[in-house]
Amino acid sequence: MAGFLQAGGRAVVVAIDHPLYTWPVPGLERRSELIEQVVEAGADALIASYGTVRDCRAVFGRARAILKLDVTVVSVREYRPAEWAVAYAVEDAARLGADAVLTLVELGTEGELAALASAARVAAAADRVGLPYVCEILPVASPAFPDPFAPAVIAGATRAAAELGAHVVKTAIPSPPAGIREAVDCGVPVLLAGGEPAADRKAYLAGLAEALSAGAAGVAVGRNVWGGGDPAGTVRRLASLVHTGRLR
Amino acid sequence: MAGFLQAGGRAVVVAIDHPLYTWPVPGLERRSELIEQVVEAGADALIASYGTVRDCRAVFGRARAILKLDVTVVSVREYRPAEWAVAYAVEDAARLGADAVLTLVELGTEGELAALASAARVAAAADRVGLPYVCEILPVASPAFPDPFAPAVIAGATRAAAELGAHVVKTAIPSPPAGIREAVDCGVPVLLAGGEPAADRKAYLAGLAEALSAGAAGVAVGRNVWGGGDPAGTVRRLASLVHTGRLR
Amino acid sequence: MAGFLQAGGRAVVVAIDHPLYTWPVPGLERRSELIEQVVEAGADALIASYGTVRDCRAVFGRARAILKLDVTVVSVREYRPAEWAVAYAVEDAARLGADAVLTLVELGTEGELAALASAARVAAAADRVGLPYVCEILPVASPAFPDPFAPAVIAGATRAAAELGAHVVKTAIPSPPAGIREAVDCGVPVLLAGGEPAADRKAYLAGLAEALSAGAAGVAVGRNVWGGGDPAGTVRRLASLVHTGRLR
Amino acid sequence: MAGFLQAGGRAVVVAIDHPLYTWPVPGLERRSELIEQVVEAGADALIASYGTVRDCRAVFGRARAILKLDVTVVSVREYRPAEWAVAYAVEDAARLGADAVLTLVELGTEGELAALASAARVAAAADRVGLPYVCEILPVASPAFPDPFAPAVIAGATRAAAELGAHVVKTAIPSPPAGIREAVDCGVPVLLAGGEPAADRKAYLAGLAEALSAGAAGVAVGRNVWGGGDPAGTVRRLASLVHTGRLR
Amino acid sequence: MAGFLQAGGRAVVVAIDHPLYTWPVPGLERRSELIEQVVEAGADALIASYGTVRDCRAVFGRARAILKLDVTVVSVREYRPAEWAVAYAVEDAARLGADAVLTLVELGTEGELAALASAARVAAAADRVGLPYVCEILPVASPAFPDPFAPAVIAGATRAAAELGAHVVKTAIPSPPAGIREAVDCGVPVLLAGGEPAADRKAYLAGLAEALSAGAAGVAVGRNVWGGGDPAGTVRRLASLVHTGRLR
């Protein structure tokens, strides 16, 4: 069982790994300040890079560290789609005292098989050292997945991750959000990826609420926490939603 | 000797690894329920993914776990043919307490040589740790194998697997099914792959019966067990056929 | 020194590894029967696959086991030329109790450099564990080797294998057979590969006799032993030729 | 913390690794003489090749050795752009008694992802053996980086290196030099790469002074130290600038 | 320090590794005879293949063994240019009791970067086990090196090898031979490769004398020793030249 899940198997996770591969990242210029705010506001865990887990761990406080093990090319201003490569080992995570590991699998890309094989190896290695493995698995618009947000596609992705050995799955919110029900049937906790910054914050939170009601275990949000104003307030709203089911 | 073969060297194996790479899989939405049914009905062993062996082992009961070591791309609705990559090690199987390991070799594909070399390495590694290796070897319609179900083709595939060091071979039912005799001459137990869901259930079982009479050691069936109604009944019929030679 | 060479440094070797990569193989349908016959008739050693050495070793009797470490694609009826990949380790041979290891190097093919590098690694690894390494090295008709049976070509191949660290070399019979003298000058024992089934058995044996008189250490024959009738008689004739120099 | 940084976290580093991949290198014909001069003049550390660290260490005196772990093709007279490959291990650095390790990452090149993944592995390995890792990260003029010296581009590169786990970052001086402020916000010490030999020495030093005032931790200069006359005098000027903030 | 260098840091090395990759090699048909002659005549060391060092070491006498670690394709009569692959490990050399190791780096070829990276790894591994590493580095006529014998090109190659960690460098004689002075400045002993068989023996020896006067540490000659008549006489002449500076 993943230790960062709270009683009830639910979690609010904040992703702060973006500067590993893109810049600028408004809101994340100074890591420690943001980390302190979101932890204080109730984040259960943070997804962070090797450098951040090593150098900023002291300010994580009671929040758990989920170490991202893969890297990609650096984008400045315009995002460059590219493959990801697993570069850190589960042993590196254990040495840093991280609480879990994460890799990304994009379905429908040229590197899909390599990413799936890496995920399988990480899952087995994580069991070997006793760390939970979070598989972030995202269908990408492609000939294989013309509608990457269809509930059956999200469910197929989630189930594949569960079969590979993920202890927790992070995936996209399907359309409609209640379609996550098909994915959660596999019994592995599913975290909802935050995705693109939402123009309509209210509709965004309503979608999360719908997916959480349908069985999602929590959220793993980045830009929608620190990309706008008031990250602490956003985390508090997410925590209320995830842990009590109420929108504040 | 493969421990999942019963007295007389025969076995009914149910394959439930499909959600690793395809979705939806009607009948396998909830793993534990299906596993309980087929084990209760007499399945001797299950072919399953790493995640399923790790998370659902408690419900396997007396059935043995054959861990599938390779992965491929994820298909939703339409099957995408692609290469397979061995991603788990025999040591992972031993750590999970699996009873055997399996990899797939497709003959006539671009990845054939790599798959054969992987099979050879797995065979040797399996001997090193004392686990039986099941080689699933399937000729694929291709310039090299215009008729992949010809008895000589199935026999060539089976014999190659035996020479590579497989302890048990899983292969396709040749046409005609009695043609399996040429394959079983090599002395290694041969399990008949279930294949596509059969439209004519009666003809399908008659074909299995013919191949079993001709020397096959058993069946390894997936979709034809859980893809239609009454998986328990189907397993009982297969068990009767395999272990007593009678169609019930 | 290779332990399978008899007093006088000579040996009759029978190759039975063909079903690893081709089918049907008339005469090798049942391995144990053929092995018993040729051992009884005087074979000093057998070249065999991992599966055969592991599963049939009991019937090898006093004959030594030379484990073939490489694999290639499976051909049914029509031979498909393809690369070979070393898949088993010298440690696997030692664990099985094999007496020697063998890999194939084809000169003039696309995979030549990789095969030579593998041969070098196997030679060093074989020394590390104390097993002799037999390098089967065959020039292939190609722009680099328009006449692959010319004595200088066979000598160049043999000498390269000796420099790589082979303890014994298996190569093709040059044309004329007495041309093997240039190859044996390097001081490493040279075994004559059997090659294609001979239409004229008498001429075939005369060619072997000529090459043995010119210094070859023995023969390593497959199809010309078990591919026609009377394998035991053929082995007896080869043993007489190799060990006494007389054609019976 | 990188041991070669002086009190105040500042350092003057001289790079003398150029003959590893280019020739002639006026000023570096005799390594020991140059090393003695720049160390005497106040260099805190030297970036050097494996051969130089091993063979000339005695003359490093109190200066620290930063071992460059990667290699590229050899250019004579005309520089040939090419990929770099990490060839030495952090363990080699530890065995030689080096004080830190360095690899180069070029952003916008074909080898970018491989270089980033290598950097990640080196960062983790350096932590394992307790050596600081200096990541030299340079955006290269390319479709992805039409203006490789823009402050946001330099900041993105620096931050990526920090997230990867670099203990110190070496990067290009942005244009304008005070733009380095955006890069140093990440909290990891930033060394300014010396770059092309400066035609206008005075303007060059003024630019360094501007970037140091904006927060850079020091300089890592090669050709601008030993490529003109008076390397000792240049190092003294740089030391004054870096450690006291005054241009002498 | 390389143990095969005599007092004064000088050495006459005879290369006998050619049959590893080419045939026929007039003069090297029987290895032991040639080895005995050249050792008796004063060769300080021999560059030889794995097979020759292992099988003929007894006749090396007081001469040191430099093990060549890389292999390439086999040429018969017409030389086929191709890449080289490092196939033996420094540990193999130590196990055989070799006194040094050697690999070849060709500059300007497609495999250059891989060869340089291999050289770097071998240099570090050689230090680990305490064996000297001889880097044979040869610029090849190519767009990058239109004049591969120019003194600056030979010096660039030599210096790169020194920076990589070579203990001794073997390179081509520049044109003019006294141009070797630029190469020897780096302080690592430089051996002159023998090159193509010389038509004018007297001019050839005068060139060697000129390069030795300019600072070369010795010669590493193959075909010009055993490719003509009187190898013992040639070695005696080279020994006189290298160790006393006199042409006899």
Side-chain angles (χ1 to χ4, degrees):
Chain A
M1 176 52 81
F4 61 84
L5 298 178
Q6 300 304 301
R10 301 211 139 204
V12 172
V13 179
V14 178
I16 58 169
D17 57 302
H18 302 65
L20 182 62
Y21 58 91
T22 191
W23 194 256
V25 188
L28 267 184
E29 291 87 350
R30 286 183 173 75
R31 291 179 286 199
S32 295
E33 291 176 17
L34 186 279
I35 294 170
E36 281 174 7
Q37 286 180 49
V38 299
V39 170
E40 169 71 25
D44 298 307
L46 300 173
I47 296 170
S49 69
Y50 182 88
T52 294
V53 173
R54 187 190 65 197
D55 297 340
C56 305
R57 190 59 192 280
V59 291
F60 276 47
R62 52 153 209 85
R64 306 299 177 98
I66 303 173
L67 181 65
K68 179 167 175 62
L69 301 182
D70 41 9
V71 301
T72 191
V73 300
V74 178
S75 295
V76 175
R77 290 211 180 92
E78 199 150 347
Y79 186 70
R80 293 194 282 153
E83 300 306 332
W84 287 78
V86 173
Y88 302 96
V90 168
E91 286 73 17
D92 296 322
R95 203 185 54 243
L96 284 196
D99 301 293
V101 295
L102 175 148
T103 70
L104 171 64
V105 175
E106 293 184 316
L107 302 182
T109 62
E110 210 185 334
E112 176 182 343
L113 179 54
L116 287 162
S118 289
R121 285 188 202 99
V122 168
D127 280 334
R128 214 166 48 224
V129 307
L131 283 178
Y133 167 52
V134 183
C135 182
E136 177 171 1
I137 191 160
L138 300 175
V140 166
S142 57
F145 303 106
D147 179 1
F149 298 105
V153 172
I154 296 298
T158 302
R159 179 64 178 263
E163 301 279 331
L164 283 169
H167 299 90
V168 173
V169 177
K170 174 184 172 189
T171 191
I173 306 169
S175 171
I180 200 74
R181 186 163 289 122
E182 186 177 344
V184 303
D185 268 358
C186 74
V188 171
V190 175
L191 299 176
L192 305 164
E196 300 284 326
D200 180 344
R201 182 60 63 115
K202 210 166 163 184
Y204 178 70
L205 290 173
L208 288 182
E210 184 185 328
L212 288 163
S213 297
V219 297
V221 180
R223 289 166 291 176
N224 276 306
V225 162
W226 40 256
D230 191 19
T234 304
V235 169
R236 273 192 294 269
R237 266 187 296 277
L238 292 172
S240 171
L241 201 57
V242 166
H243 292 304
T244 72
R246 276 173 311 212
L247 252 176
R248 293 206 299 191
Chain B
M1 176 51 82
F4 61 83
L5 298 179
Q6 301 304 301
R10 301 211 140 201
V12 173
V13 178
V14 178
I16 57 169
D17 57 302
H18 302 65
L20 182 63
Y21 59 91
T22 191
W23 194 256
V25 189
L28 267 183
E29 291 87 350
R30 288 183 173 76
R31 290 179 287 199
S32 296
E33 291 177 16
L34 187 277
I35 294 170
E36 281 174 7
Q37 286 180 50
V38 299
V39 170
E40 168 72 24
D44 298 306
L46 300 172
I47 296 171
S49 69
Y50 182 88
T52 295
V53 172
R54 187 191 65 197
D55 298 339
C56 306
R57 190 58 192 280
V59 291
F60 275 48
R62 52 153 211 85
R64 305 299 176 98
I66 303 172
L67 181 65
K68 179 165 176 64
L69 301 181
D70 40 9
V71 300
T72 191
V73 300
V74 177
S75 295
V76 174
R77 287 208 185 93
E78 199 150 347
Y79 186 69
R80 293 195 283 153
E83 299 306 332
W84 288 77
V86 173
Y88 302 96
V90 168
E91 285 73 17
D92 296 322
R95 203 186 52 243
L96 285 195
D99 301 292
V101 294
L102 175 148
T103 71
L104 170 64
V105 175
E106 292 184 316
L107 302 182
T109 63
E110 210 185 333
E112 176 182 344
L113 180 54
L116 287 162
S118 289
R121 285 189 202 98
V122 168
D127 280 334
R128 216 166 47 224
V129 306
L131 283 179
Y133 168 51
V134 183
C135 182
E136 177 171 1
I137 191 161
L138 300 175
V140 165
S142 58
F145 302 106
D147 179 1
F149 298 104
V153 172
I154 296 298
T158 302
R159 180 65 177 263
E163 300 279 332
L164 283 169
H167 299 89
V168 172
V169 177
K170 173 183 172 189
T171 192
I173 306 170
S175 172
I180 200 73
R181 186 164 288 122
E182 187 177 345
V184 302
D185 267 359
C186 73
V188 171
V190 176
L191 300 176
L192 304 164
E196 301 283 327
D200 180 343
R201 183 59 63 114
K202 209 165 165 186
Y204 178 71
L205 290 172
L208 289 181
E210 184 186 328
L212 289 163
S213 297
V219 297
V221 181
R223 288 166 290 176
N224 276 304
V225 162
W226 40 256
D230 192 19
T234 304
V235 169
R236 275 191 293 270
R237 265 186 296 277
L238 291 173
S240 171
L241 201 57
V242 167
H243 292 305
T244 72
R246 276 171 311 208
L247 255 175
R248 294 204 300 190
Chain C
M1 176 52 82
F4 61 82
L5 299 178
Q6 301 304 300
R10 302 211 139 203
V12 173
V13 178
V14 177
I16 58 170
D17 57 302
H18 303 64
L20 182 63
Y21 57 92
T22 191
W23 193 257
V25 189
L28 268 184
E29 290 87 352
R30 288 183 173 75
R31 291 179 288 199
S32 295
E33 290 177 16
L34 188 276
I35 294 170
E36 281 174 7
Q37 285 180 50
V38 299
V39 171
E40 168 73 24
D44 298 307
L46 300 173
I47 297 170
S49 69
Y50 182 88
T52 295
V53 172
R54 187 190 66 196
D55 297 339
C56 306
R57 190 60 191 281
V59 291
F60 275 48
R62 53 155 208 83
R64 305 299 177 98
I66 303 172
L67 180 65
K68 179 167 177 61
L69 301 181
D70 41 10
V71 301
T72 190
V73 301
V74 177
S75 296
V76 174
R77 286 207 187 96
E78 200 150 345
Y79 185 69
R80 293 195 283 154
E83 299 306 333
W84 287 77
V86 173
Y88 301 96
V90 167
E91 286 73 17
D92 295 322
R95 203 185 53 243
L96 284 195
D99 302 291
V101 293
L102 175 148
T103 71
L104 171 63
V105 175
E106 292 184 316
L107 302 181
T109 62
E110 210 185 333
E112 177 182 344
L113 180 54
L116 287 162
S118 289
R121 285 187 202 101
V122 168
D127 280 335
R128 215 165 49 223
V129 306
L131 283 178
Y133 168 51
V134 182
C135 182
E136 177 171 1
I137 191 161
L138 300 175
V140 165
S142 57
F145 303 106
D147 179 1
F149 298 105
V153 171
I154 296 298
T158 302
R159 180 64 177 264
E163 300 278 332
L164 282 169
H167 298 90
V168 173
V169 177
K170 174 184 172 189
T171 192
I173 306 169
S175 172
I180 201 72
R181 185 163 289 122
E182 187 178 345
V184 302
D185 268 359
C186 74
V188 171
V190 176
L191 300 176
L192 305 165
E196 300 283 326
D200 180 343
R201 183 59 64 115
K202 209 164 165 187
Y204 178 71
L205 290 172
L208 288 182
E210 185 186 327
L212 288 163
S213 297
V219 298
V221 181
R223 288 166 291 177
N224 277 303
V225 161
W226 40 256
D230 193 18
T234 304
V235 170
R236 275 191 294 270
R237 266 186 297 275
L238 291 172
S240 172
L241 201 57
V242 167
H243 292 304
T244 72
R246 276 172 312 209
L247 255 175
R248 293 206 300 193
Chain D
M1 176 51 82
F4 61 84
L5 298 178
Q6 301 304 301
R10 301 210 138 204
V12 173
V13 179
V14 178
I16 58 169
D17 57 302
H18 302 64
L20 182 62
Y21 57 90
T22 191
W23 194 256
V25 188
L28 267 184
E29 291 87 350
R30 287 183 173 75
R31 291 179 286 199
S32 296
E33 289 177 17
L34 186 277
I35 294 170
E36 281 174 7
Q37 286 181 50
V38 299
V39 171
E40 168 71 24
D44 298 306
L46 300 172
I47 297 170
S49 69
Y50 182 90
T52 295
V53 172
R54 187 189 65 196
D55 297 339
C56 306
R57 190 60 192 279
V59 292
F60 275 48
R62 54 155 207 84
R64 304 299 177 98
I66 302 172
L67 181 65
K68 181 169 175 61
L69 301 182
D70 41 8
V71 301
T72 190
V73 300
V74 177
S75 295
V76 175
R77 290 210 181 92
E78 200 150 347
Y79 186 69
R80 294 195 280 154
E83 300 306 334
W84 287 78
V86 173
Y88 302 96
V90 168
E91 286 73 18
D92 296 322
R95 203 185 53 242
L96 283 196
D99 301 292
V101 294
L102 176 148
T103 71
L104 171 63
V105 175
E106 293 183 317
L107 302 181
T109 61
E110 209 185 334
E112 177 183 343
L113 180 54
L116 287 162
S118 288
R121 283 186 203 100
V122 168
D127 280 334
R128 213 165 48 223
V129 306
L131 283 177
Y133 167 52
V134 183
C135 182
E136 178 171 0
I137 190 161
L138 300 175
V140 165
S142 57
F145 303 106
D147 179 2
F149 298 105
V153 172
I154 297 298
T158 302
R159 179 65 177 262
E163 300 279 332
L164 283 168
H167 299 88
V168 173
V169 176
K170 174 184 171 188
T171 192
I173 305 170
S175 172
I180 200 74
R181 186 163 288 123
E182 186 177 344
V184 303
D185 267 359
C186 73
V188 171
V190 175
L191 300 176
L192 304 164
E196 300 284 325
D200 180 343
R201 182 60 62 115
K202 212 166 162 183
Y204 177 72
L205 290 173
L208 289 183
E210 184 186 328
L212 288 163
S213 296
V219 297
V221 181
R223 288 166 291 176
N224 276 305
V225 162
W226 40 255
D230 192 20
T234 304
V235 170
R236 275 191 294 269
R237 265 185 297 276
L238 291 173
S240 172
L241 201 57
V242 167
H243 292 304
T244 72
R246 277 172 312 212
L247 253 176
R248 294 205 298 191
Chain E
M1 176 51 83
F4 60 83
L5 298 179
Q6 301 304 300
R10 302 211 138 204
V12 173
V13 178
V14 178
I16 58 169
D17 57 302
H18 302 65
L20 182 62
Y21 57 90
T22 191
W23 193 257
V25 189
L28 267 184
E29 291 87 350
R30 287 183 173 75
R31 293 179 286 199
S32 296
E33 290 176 17
L34 187 276
I35 294 170
E36 281 174 6
Q37 285 180 51
V38 300
V39 171
E40 168 72 24
D44 298 307
L46 301 172
I47 296 170
S49 69
Y50 182 89
T52 295
V53 172
R54 186 190 67 197
D55 297 339
C56 306
R57 189 62 192 278
V59 291
F60 275 48
R62 53 156 208 85
R64 304 299 177 99
I66 302 172
L67 181 64
K68 181 169 175 61
L69 302 181
D70 41 10
V71 301
T72 190
V73 300
V74 177
S75 295
V76 174
R77 287 209 185 94
E78 201 151 344
Y79 185 68
R80 293 195 282 154
E83 300 305 333
W84 287 77
V86 173
Y88 302 96
V90 168
E91 285 73 18
D92 296 322
R95 204 185 53 241
L96 284 194
D99 301 292
V101 294
L102 175 148
T103 71
L104 171 64
V105 175
E106 293 184 317
L107 301 182
T109 62
E110 209 186 332
E112 177 182 344
L113 179 54
L116 287 163
S118 289
R121 284 187 203 101
V122 168
D127 281 335
R128 214 165 49 223
V129 307
L131 283 178
Y133 167 51
V134 183
C135 182
E136 177 171 0
I137 191 161
L138 300 175
V140 165
S142 57
F145 303 107
D147 179 1
F149 298 104
V153 172
I154 297 297
T158 302
R159 180 65 177 263
E163 300 280 331
L164 282 169
H167 299 88
V168 172
V169 177
K170 174 185 172 189
T171 192
I173 305 169
S175 171
I180 200 74
R181 185 163 290 122
E182 187 178 345
V184 302
D185 268 359
C186 72
V188 170
V190 175
L191 300 176
L192 305 164
E196 300 283 324
D200 180 343
R201 183 60 64 113
K202 212 167 161 181
Y204 178 72
L205 289 172
L208 289 182
E210 185 187 327
L212 288 163
S213 297
V219 297
V221 181
R223 287 165 292 177
N224 276 304
V225 162
W226 40 255
D230 193 19
T234 304
V235 170
R236 275 191 293 269
R237 265 186 298 275
L238 291 172
S240 171
L241 201 57
V242 168
H243 291 304
T244 72
R246 276 172 312 210
L247 254 175
R248 296 205 299 190

